[in-house]
């Protein structure tokens, strides 16, 4: 089975190589990371061959989710090095810039036997953690052979992906047998993992880490415990630096359209035109999900006749004197939600599964999203049922919903308060996850030099 899988990986790599070459030439992707993806890490990476915990987070969302988990694991296991890998360039950039408790960041290796063996020789993990649903058969098989503990954390199987996994259930059963713990977001995901062959005794429902990974606003920090406030103070300073480019007066309405996908920007821009007829001073912040589409989003806005600026071109400590700002930076969207009057969360008007609605919720913002929230189904349903978000049937409802919310501050406040309350009520998954992982990897007593004597007070 594994030989057939490896052959399939090679075939896919050959077939997809023209696309990778195009991405390398057009967007400068993969050029500098190919060596690491082949298992060749820098000489200084782990020079002393120390044992470690290896966490894999695919892209930006998983990196943000993993940050509090990494911090807590680092405090619990100070003698182990902490390594973080990503698949995407955007995730790599964010990890290097914003994750403070890791010893090194690198690109995830291709899932071929000789490549993963080379990587494991250098990383030397005692525990390998996969964020959400990153399941790589050859790597997991090699971890089992070496006695390395493995865990899926914040695991989920969406209604869209589950049928595809069921088609290869015999293979999945063998692969899942190599995973020691499944820490999943919901009862539904737990049932799906078990149906694919996971041992029920290894599956634990811990809730969604996304609730715990959210940065708190200054208001939330007011009543926070001391340890949480210290971390929050650092994050607040980082937010303040970003917001210095968005000195928007309180009287100016702001629509933030976050994580938009191809086909959504034009719907948002046309709804924005109707909003401007009622509120001529409204600002739109447009944040395409994929960095390679920043230019396309800017072009669409200009074609619609708006005065446009990129975030990277804004003046510091000044109000943006434009109609539309295209957010062309990575990792700042969650902060920009703080200035929003109304938030639209993209990936939901087109069939791509939706994106994270929790980031604007922590700031108590009224949230609008479309019908396609398959990847966040439980969270979307909770928001709708608790009056914490507005779900559209289609893009034709977008302009009327914007207009209604922009003109009704009471409803905005009600939606925002319910969203924030929902977030606070669902925190705690990080603590549960660390507890389960510590059972999987018990702490070892610290070793002290043999010549150190116990302290004795002088007579």
């Amino acid at each position: 089975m594994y030989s057939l899988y490896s052959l399939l990986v090679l075939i896919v790599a050959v077939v997809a190589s023209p696309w990778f070459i195009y991405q390398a030439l057009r967007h400068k992707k993969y050029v500098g990371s190919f060596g690491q993806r082949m298992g060749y890490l820098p000489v200084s990476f782990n020079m002393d061959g120390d044992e470690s915990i290896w966490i894999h987070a695919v892209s930006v969302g998983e990196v943000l989710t993993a940050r509090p988990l990494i911090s807590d694991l680092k405090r619990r296991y100070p003698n182990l090095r902490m390594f973080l890998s990503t698949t995407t360039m955007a995730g790599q950039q964010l990890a290097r810039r914003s994750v403070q408790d890791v010893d090194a960041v690198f690109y995830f290796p291709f899932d071929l036997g000789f490549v993963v063996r080379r990587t494991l020789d250098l990383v030397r993990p005692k525990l390998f953690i996969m964020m959400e649903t990153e399941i790589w058969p050859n790597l997991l098989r090699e971890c089992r052979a070496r006695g390395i503990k493995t865990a899926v954390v914040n695991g989920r199987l969406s209604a869209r992906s589950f049928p595809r996994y069921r088609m290869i259930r015999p293979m999945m059963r063998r692969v899942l047998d190599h995973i020691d713990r499944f820490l999943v977001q919901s009862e539904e995901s737990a049932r799906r993992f078990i149906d694919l062959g996971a041992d029920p005794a290894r599956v634990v429902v811990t809730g969604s880490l996304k609730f715990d990974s959210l940065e708190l606003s200054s208001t939330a920090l007011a009543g926070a415990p001391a340890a949480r406030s210290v971390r929050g103070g650092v994050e607040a300073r980082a937010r303040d630096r970003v917001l210095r480019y968005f000195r928007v007066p309180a009287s100016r309405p702001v629509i933030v359209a976050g994580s938009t996908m191809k086909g959504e920007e034009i719907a948002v821009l046309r709804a924005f035109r109707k909003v401007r007829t009622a509120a001529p001073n409204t600002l739109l912040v447009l944040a395409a999900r994929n960095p390679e589409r920043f230019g396309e989003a800017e072009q669409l806005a200009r074609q619609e006749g708006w005065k446009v600026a990129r975030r990277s071109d804004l003046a510091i400590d000044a109000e943006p004197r434009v109609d539309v700002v295209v957010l062309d930076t990575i990792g700042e969207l969650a902060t920009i939600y703080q200035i929003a009057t109304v938030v639209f969360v993209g990936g939901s008007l087109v069939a791509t599964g939706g994106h994270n609605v929790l980031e604007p919720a922590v700031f108590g913002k009224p949230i609008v999203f479309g019908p396609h929230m398959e990847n966040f189904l439980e969270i979307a349903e909770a928001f709708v049922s608790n009056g914490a978000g507005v779900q559209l049937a289609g893009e034709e409802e977008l302009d009327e919903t914007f207009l209604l919310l922009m003109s009704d501050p009471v409803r905005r406040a009600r939606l925002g308060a319910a969203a924030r309350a929902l977030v606070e009520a669902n925190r705690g998954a990080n603590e549960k996850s660390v507890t389960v992982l510590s059972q999987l990897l018990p702490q070892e007593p610290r070793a002290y030099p043999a010549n150190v004597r116990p302290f004795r007070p002088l007579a």
Side-chain angles (χ1 to χ4, degrees):
M1 181 195 82
Y2 286 93
S3 298
L4 182 61
Y5 166 76
S6 297
L7 179 61
L8 182 62
V9 170
L10 287 172
I11 292 172
V12 170
V14 171
V15 172
S17 59
W19 182 84
F20 284 110
I21 293 171
Y22 168 78
Q23 292 291 319
L25 296 175
R26 179 69 177 82
H27 301 294
K28 308 299 181 185
K29 286 187 172 183
Y30 312 117
V31 177
S33 65
F34 184 76
Q36 292 189 17
R37 296 180 195 273
M38 289 296 295
Y40 293 104
L41 301 178
V43 174
S44 60
F45 180 83
N46 191 11
M47 190 174 295
D48 296 325
D50 295 324
E51 293 182 319
S52 70
I53 295 175
W54 173 9
I55 299 178
H56 176 55
V58 180
S59 191
V60 170
E62 292 81 8
V63 170
L64 291 172
T65 301
R67 286 194 304 180
L69 177 68
I70 290 170
S71 297
D72 287 350
L73 288 174
K74 187 68 174 178
R75 284 192 292 271
R76 184 174 286 266
Y77 299 100
N79 295 329
L80 295 178
R81 302 197 76 190
M82 194 70 60
F83 296 128
L84 175 64
S85 64
T86 73
T87 300
T88 69
M89 184 168 63
Q92 188 81 185
Q93 292 171 353
L94 181 66
R96 292 181 184 277
R97 187 175 69 247
S98 70
V99 184
Q100 300 176 351
D101 295 304
V102 293
D103 294 285
V105 179
F106 65 103
Y107 281 98
F108 190 75
F110 296 124
D111 194 37
L112 296 169
F114 68 96
V115 176
V116 299
R117 284 192 289 273
R118 184 183 296 136
T119 303
L120 289 171
D121 287 343
L122 294 170
V123 178
R124 297 200 64 214
K126 294 192 71 174
L127 172 64
F128 172 58
I129 295 172
M130 301 151 279
M131 298 301 297
E132 300 201 4
T133 316
E134 277 290 292
I135 298 172
W136 297 101
N138 280 327
L139 178 57
L140 290 169
R141 183 190 191 195
E142 190 63 30
C143 284
R144 173 56 61 89
R146 297 182 182 216
I148 299 166
K149 299 297 184 180
T150 58
V152 171
V153 174
N154 208 43
R156 64 184 176 92
L157 283 173
S158 68
R160 187 174 62 171
S161 63
F162 179 59
R164 295 198 293 266
Y165 283 118
R166 287 200 68 181
M167 292 174 63
I168 53 171
R169 184 158 48 179
M171 175 183 175
M172 289 302 301
R173 183 179 292 109
R174 293 181 63 182
V175 173
L176 296 182
D177 187 54
H178 290 157
I179 300 175
D180 295 293
R181 289 292 184 278
F182 300 83
L183 283 61
V184 300
Q185 298 182 22
S186 66
E187 295 286 350
E188 184 61 35
S189 286
R191 284 192 291 270
R192 288 170 180 166
F193 273 111
I194 293 169
D195 186 63
L196 291 177
D199 182 350
R202 301 180 186 179
V203 181
V204 183
V205 178
T206 52
S208 175
L209 277 179
K210 291 185 182 295
F211 288 98
D212 288 15
S213 68
L214 299 169
E215 295 181 356
L216 299 177
S217 67
S218 56
T219 305
L221 288 167
R228 195 167 160 189
S229 296
V230 169
R231 185 172 67 185
V234 174
E235 292 169 343
R237 287 194 296 273
R239 288 197 299 272
D240 288 344
R241 286 195 294 271
V242 175
L243 294 178
R244 291 184 67 185
Y245 294 90
F246 291 87
R247 295 299 195 195
V248 181
S251 59
R252 186 176 188 185
V254 179
I255 296 174
V256 177
S259 299
T260 56
M261 303 295 287
K262 189 176 184 64
E264 291 184 316
E265 290 91 1
I266 194 66
V268 170
L269 287 163
R270 290 173 181 172
F272 177 60
R273 183 174 300 283
K274 293 191 177 182
V275 170
R276 285 286 290 247
T277 62
N281 196 35
T282 303
L283 172 69
L284 172 64
V285 179
L286 193 58
R289 174 70 173 182
N290 300 314
E292 55 266 29
R293 296 195 59 251
F294 292 159
E296 181 183 345
E298 179 183 9
Q299 184 180 11
L300 286 170
R302 293 189 186 282
Q303 288 174 351
E304 288 293 307
W306 299 114
K307 186 177 180 181
V308 184
R310 288 192 175 210
R311 147 70 181 91
S312 58
D313 294 330
L314 295 180
I316 194 169
D317 289 327
E319 179 184 355
R321 297 295 183 179
V322 293
D323 306 308
V324 179
V325 174
V326 173
L327 193 64
D328 63 341
T329 52
I330 295 170
E332 291 186 353
L333 177 59
T335 298
I336 304 303
Y337 283 137
Q338 197 169 172
I339 67 169
T341 308
V342 175
V343 170
F344 167 72
V345 176
S348 59
L349 287 179
V350 294
T352 57
H355 291 304
N356 188 4
V357 300
L358 301 179
E359 290 174 338
V362 77
F363 295 115
K365 301 299 178 179
I367 303 163
V368 178
F369 49 89
H372 299 288
M373 291 292 289
E374 294 83 3
N375 291 342
F376 297 87
L377 187 60
E378 294 90 351
I379 292 176
E381 289 175 347
F383 268 71
V384 172
S385 63
N386 285 276
V390 178
Q391 186 164 27
L392 310 175
E395 67 177 69
E396 64 279 357
E397 297 182 0
L398 188 59
D399 52 358
E400 292 300 324
T401 302
F402 278 171
L403 284 168
L404 177 62
L405 290 175
M406 298 292 279
S407 63
D408 190 345
V410 174
R411 189 178 184 198
R412 290 202 308 269
R414 190 185 304 120
L415 283 165
R420 183 159 179 167
L422 191 60
V423 169
E424 291 301 321
N426 283 276
R427 291 186 187 274
N430 193 69
E431 184 178 351
K432 295 176 185 176
S433 299
V434 172
T435 299
V436 175
L437 292 173
S438 65
Q439 296 168 358
L440 195 62
L441 185 64
Q443 287 178 286
E444 297 178 356
R446 294 190 181 185
Y448 294 96
N451 60 351
V452 175
R453 300 178 186 178
F455 172 76
R456 293 180 182 175
L458 295 175

